[in-house]
Amino acid sequence: MSFAIGLGGIVVALVFLTAAVYKGWSILYSSIISVIIIAVTNGLNLYEALTVNYVSSFTSYAASYFILFCEGAMLGKLYDASGAAWKIGKTVVDKCGTKFALIGYIAVAAVLEYGGISTFVICFVLLPLAKPIFKETGTPWYMWPAITIVPIIGPELMTPGGLQSHNIIPTQILGTDLTAAPVMGVVFTVVYFAICGLYFVWELKRAKNVEWKRNSLPPVDEADAGMDRENAPNIIAAILPIVVGVVLI
């Protein structure tokens, strides 16, 4: 019975934490409440659970991978400020044409995420690229979060060799390498993108029948629409850091 109560407490804590983050509550306070739920339901010393287990684990994790997070954020800022992300996106979209521009956008997001740009900053890199693409293709803007998160999750959590903390940290804890389970990873990535693609097609058809969805277009200003970026690097220089990172694995 005590095992069931403890397990139930862990599930309740995770559900609460997920709901709290979804509601926009502070992750600091929400995580502390979750720890209290787990400690009480598992018969742990509340003081030790908060001051020893929680604090020591949190600070150890942050300290161990601080440089990794910083490097990912710096790479994302570099791609945004230099125009390299825009150059990659423009090249892919030009090659794909209007009909397949959205697929090109998803491909760009997947490549940038796979190449090591931090998940915490990649949305800011992709936003300037997404606005004109969504307007040109008539894609409802309310779908931007879903369409953007799909190519982020795939390379981050499933695709072998991804240069993200979720793939790098297990190499130290579990002793695996960055390309562990390549066949399984590739299969799951393909299935994942196929299912998400079918959902997007279904949702886009539904959007045509609802006025607010159909008219949900991005607020594009002159800076976004006229992104010439004359000083942006050429496509070879833009993809070079990603290629080097993947090859070094």
Side-chain angles (χ1 to χ4, degrees):
M1 180 62 70
S2 60
F3 173 77
I5 294 176
L7 182 60
I10 294 174
V11 173
V12 170
L14 291 175
V15 171
F16 167 77
L17 184 62
T18 303
V21 172
Y22 180 79
K23 291 291 186 180
W25 297 358
S26 169
I27 185 63
L28 177 62
Y29 302 141
S30 302
S31 61
I32 291 177
I33 294 174
S34 298
V35 171
I36 293 175
I37 295 174
I38 293 174
V40 170
T41 55
N42 283 271
L44 303 176
N45 183 289
L46 185 58
Y47 178 78
E48 290 185 0
L50 288 171
T51 60
V52 179
N53 302 110
Y54 172 73
V55 174
S56 62
S57 298
F58 176 78
T59 54
S60 174
Y61 173 81
S64 299
Y65 304 105
F66 178 75
I67 299 298
L68 177 63
F69 296 147
C70 286
E71 288 176 346
M74 290 166 61
L75 181 61
K77 182 62 178 178
L78 174 63
Y79 263 80
D80 184 24
S82 67
W86 170 82
K87 185 65 177 181
I88 295 174
K90 184 177 184 302
T91 302
V92 172
V93 171
D94 287 346
K95 298 296 183 181
C96 293
T98 304
K99 185 176 181 180
F100 299 102
L102 199 60
I103 297 177
Y105 170 74
I106 293 175
V108 169
V111 169
L112 294 177
E113 178 72 14
Y114 186 81
I117 293 182
S118 172
T119 304
F120 303 106
V121 300
I122 194 171
C123 289
F124 300 100
V125 176
L126 294 171
L127 184 61
L129 171 64
K131 287 183 178 181
I133 292 175
F134 274 61
K135 184 175 182 180
E136 183 179 355
T137 58
T139 304
W141 186 241
Y142 78 92
M143 291 184 65
W144 179 76
I147 291 176
T148 300
I149 200 66
V150 164
I152 292 176
I153 291 178
E156 180 184 37
L157 301 179
M158 305 176 195
T159 310
L163 299 175
Q164 292 295 331
S165 60
H166 304 76
N167 197 31
I168 295 174
I169 292 175
T171 63
Q172 301 180 30
I173 298 177
L174 302 178
T176 57
D177 55 54
L178 292 177
T179 56
V183 175
M184 183 182 296
V186 171
V187 170
F188 270 87
T189 300
V190 171
V191 172
Y192 164 78
F193 275 106
I195 293 174
C196 291
L198 291 174
Y199 167 74
F200 289 149
V201 171
W202 177 69
E203 182 62 27
L204 287 170
K205 289 182 178 180
R206 289 182 61 205
K208 295 179 180 179
N209 301 321
V210 182
E211 184 177 358
W212 75 266
K213 291 183 177 181
R214 187 172 61 248
N215 298 327
S216 176
L217 296 177
V220 181
D221 55 34
E222 294 181 3
D224 292 326
M227 293 175 68
D228 330 89
R229 302 225 183 170
E230 296 178 356
N231 296 323
N234 59 49
I235 186 63
I236 301 299
I239 66 173
L240 188 60
I242 294 176
V243 173
V244 170
V246 174
V247 171
L248 286 177
I249 295 177

